[in-house]
Amino acid sequence: MQVQTSRFGTVEIDPAEILTFPDGIPAFENLREFFFYPIPGNPAFTWLQAVNDPEVAFLLVDPFLFFPGYEVDIPDSLQREMEIKNAGDVLVLAVVTVPNGDVRRATANLVGPMVINRVTRLGRQFVMEGTKYTTRHPLFR
């Protein structure tokens, strides 16, 4: 399957690689299908590209590499909704913001991680309530 993207050109993906976000992503509720577009040589980061909008892609990072004490408690209701049966099935990634293209000032949204069930390929941006985290934790100091 070929997908048009504004950043990477036309890319070929296996339809089995598509992640489904049943409720979309906040502010992009109309977009339900995404896929990972890895960054060669940098496994800590990946892009989450929308299948049906070439302009929409989110830069994601493994938050546990940058914030070793980071914790995400996924409520039982969300685990049921996402059909999570084992903790090892879950992938948690944080959305990165790069202000004015300056990577040195990049921040990660730790309050609203992307939670993905690798088995069912269901995803959701989970906004944690009552947490010490914010939407702008500097990646580099």
Side-chain angles (χ1 to χ4, degrees):
M1 163 181 190
Q2 291 191 334
V3 177
Q4 290 288 96
T5 73
S6 63
R7 287 174 182 79
F8 320 112
T10 301
V11 297
E12 183 77 29
I13 63 166
D14 180 341
E17 295 177 9
I18 293 175
L19 303 164
T20 301
F21 286 67
D23 299 324
I25 293 174
F28 300 93
E29 289 84 0
N30 61 320
L31 299 173
R32 308 283 168 93
E33 295 181 327
F34 294 83
F35 63 94
F36 287 127
Y37 191 83
I39 299 173
N42 196 340
F45 293 88
T46 188
W47 287 96
L48 182 68
Q49 171 69 53
V51 171
N52 296 311
D53 189 331
E55 300 293 331
V56 177
F58 301 93
L59 181 60
L60 304 179
V61 67
D62 179 345
F64 303 104
L65 294 176
F66 287 86
F67 309 98
Y70 183 56
E71 295 178 4
V72 176
D73 184 20
I74 302 171
D76 290 344
S77 59
L78 182 56
Q79 290 184 42
R80 282 191 300 277
E81 177 184 319
M82 295 186 63
E83 303 173 25
I84 296 170
K85 296 191 172 36
N86 299 301
D89 298 341
V90 178
L91 181 62
V92 174
L93 298 167
V95 177
V96 174
T97 299
V98 181
N100 300 319
D102 185 354
V103 174
R104 295 170 299 176
R105 295 177 44 222
T107 60
N109 176 352
L110 298 184
V111 76
M114 298 289 189
V115 177
I116 295 164
N117 182 334
R118 294 185 247 216
V119 175
T120 62
R121 310 218 41 92
L122 292 172
R124 181 164 170 193
Q125 186 172 24
F126 169 53
V127 179
M128 297 188 283
E129 295 180 10
T131 178
K132 62 184 177 186
Y133 302 115
T134 71
T135 58
R136 294 186 181 161
H137 289 266
L139 284 177
F140 309 105
R141 295 172 199 227

